[in-house]
Amino acid sequence: MAGFNSKTCVVLLGIFALVGLASGAKFYDLFQPSWATDHFTYEGDVLRLKLDKYSGAGFASKNKYMFGKVTVQIKLVEGDSAGTVTAFYMSSDGPNHNEFDFEFLGNTSGEPYLVQTNVYVNGVGNREQRLNLWFDPTKDFHSYSILWNQRQVVFLVDDTPVRVHSNLEHRGIPYPKDQPMGVYSSIWNADDWATQGGLIKTDWSHAPFVASYQGFDINACQCNDTVAWSDNAKKCSSSAERQFWWDTPAVAELNLHQSHQLLWVRANHMIYNYCTDKSRFPVTPAECEHHRH
């Protein structure tokens, strides 16, 4: 990005969002293939990743970010997708990394896709929630977003919140707010666990399995990962001199409509919540005691 000091964070103003274009940026504006480039195909603005018995495929953002919103539109694998996983996630580096996951778990023909979300903080995950969707995600493109600020992490499907992970540092619970994160997506074979706990395996006679992408958008604070984490966090946080949109009251917490949407999703579409899994967690995880959602 010419004209910027490489040792500072810069705000991506989200030009496409500002002018009201929902399609977002082109793939190569923001991302690059990270493995199996021969499993990528392009049809206009649509990127397709394929999984076959030889390989899956994945891509990564060219930069890392701290706070903001990332979105991609995905049309998931049609037909028998059992054993496959398509993922869209943010992650930092290292053993004590932070990570926010969307994982779309394939299924046999006619059965619904399951969406698993997870949050890692300082290298610790095991915060899975699973839900089914209120539409068929294989028939058309739908938007999947992660909103991240110092108050909350919100997972959204077509702008409907499906999960909130709140900052509970005042309760002594760590919150991911000090590590720049890349944005990633991939498709791979996970038939040891993805479909009915691994009971149903991938049927390679139905390969290749294809996930399609468009509408790439990152409206976030871009960071240089050679800079100290504390400096990145400082430059990407609002101060008396500047106010970033992700720190404004409008996105500090869900509004009333969004809260109702989240309650509807939880009541009608959530099928697993780690917070209520006594077999895994005889003692309820600390954040579950305090999260309102």
Side-chain angles (χ1 to χ4, degrees):
M1 299 187 65
F4 289 104
N5 185 322
S6 63
K7 293 190 175 182
T8 62
C9 289
V10 295
V11 178
L12 289 187
L13 293 177
I15 295 172
F16 292 93
L18 289 175
V19 298
L21 296 180
S23 59
K26 306 288 188 183
F27 172 75
Y28 275 108
D29 291 340
L30 300 171
F31 295 95
Q32 58 194 5
S34 51
W35 53 291
T37 55
D38 60 339
H39 283 51
F40 284 65
T41 58
Y42 305 90
E43 297 178 18
D45 291 338
V46 176
L47 165 68
R48 304 193 195 281
L49 300 188
K50 73 175 182 179
L51 164 69
D52 56 28
K53 62 182 178 181
Y54 303 104
S55 181
F59 62 81
S61 59
K62 295 179 179 179
N63 298 294
K64 288 187 168 62
Y65 305 89
M66 186 172 286
F67 310 130
K69 184 179 182 181
V70 301
T71 299
V72 70
Q73 296 173 16
I74 308 174
K75 182 164 69 172
L76 294 170
V77 177
E78 294 189 67
D80 182 1
S81 57
T84 72
V85 171
T86 303
F88 173 57
Y89 61 104
M90 299 184 71
S91 182
S92 59
D93 299 327
N96 296 317
H97 74 293
N98 300 325
E99 186 173 328
F100 314 137
D101 295 338
F102 271 112
E103 293 178 310
F104 304 94
L105 312 183
N107 218 324
T108 53
S109 297
E111 294 295 320
Y113 254 86
L114 297 182
V115 181
Q116 176 169 286
T117 60
N118 201 356
V119 176
Y120 285 74
V121 184
N122 297 333
V124 179
N126 298 321
R127 297 180 176 91
E128 298 90 347
Q129 293 182 358
R130 289 187 180 183
L131 60 138
N132 53 46
L133 294 168
W134 49 97
F135 53 83
D136 184 343
T138 72
K139 298 303 182 187
D140 205 351
F141 288 93
H142 292 269
S143 294
Y144 303 94
S145 304
I146 300 168
L147 168 67
W148 174 34
N149 57 37
Q150 296 194 67
R151 297 285 297 276
Q152 59 182 358
V153 179
V154 185
F155 296 78
L156 303 110
V157 176
D158 289 337
D159 285 328
T160 296
V162 299
R163 179 174 186 168
V164 173
H165 184 85
S166 301
N167 185 337
L168 296 171
E169 287 180 307
H170 63 287
R171 302 278 187 177
I173 298 169
Y175 180 78
K177 68 172 190 179
D178 60 358
Q179 299 181 36
M181 303 175 82
V183 187
Y184 305 90
S185 188
S186 56
I187 182 170
W188 78 94
N189 178 44
D191 65 4
D192 57 330
W193 65 272
T195 305
Q196 296 186 26
L199 294 177
I200 300 180
K201 302 302 183 182
T202 303
D203 183 347
W204 294 111
S205 70
H206 294 160
F209 304 98
V210 178
S212 303
Y213 298 80
Q214 65 179 22
F216 304 94
D217 189 38
I218 297 178
N219 188 352
C221 186
Q222 181 180 309
C223 300
N224 185 298
D225 59 7
T226 64
V227 173
W229 290 352
S230 58
D231 290 339
N232 279 326
K234 185 183 301 182
K235 292 182 182 298
C236 291
S237 301
S238 294
S239 66
E241 294 78 29
R242 62 185 184 271
Q243 179 78 13
F244 294 130
W245 71 265
W246 49 82
D247 289 327
T248 60
V251 291
E253 59 184 12
L254 300 188
N255 61 36
L256 183 59
H257 176 64
Q258 291 173 321
S259 296
H260 288 163
Q261 287 179 312
L262 180 59
L263 290 172
W264 175 82
V265 169
R266 290 175 62 89
N268 294 282
H269 294 280
M270 181 175 285
I271 60 172
Y272 176 81
N273 185 356
Y274 78 105
C275 286
T276 58
D277 189 340
K278 294 299 183 182
S279 62
R280 289 180 65 200
F281 303 102
V283 177
T284 302
E287 69 267 19
C288 299
E289 297 283 359
H290 303 292
H291 272 138
R292 292 179 299 132
H293 306 297

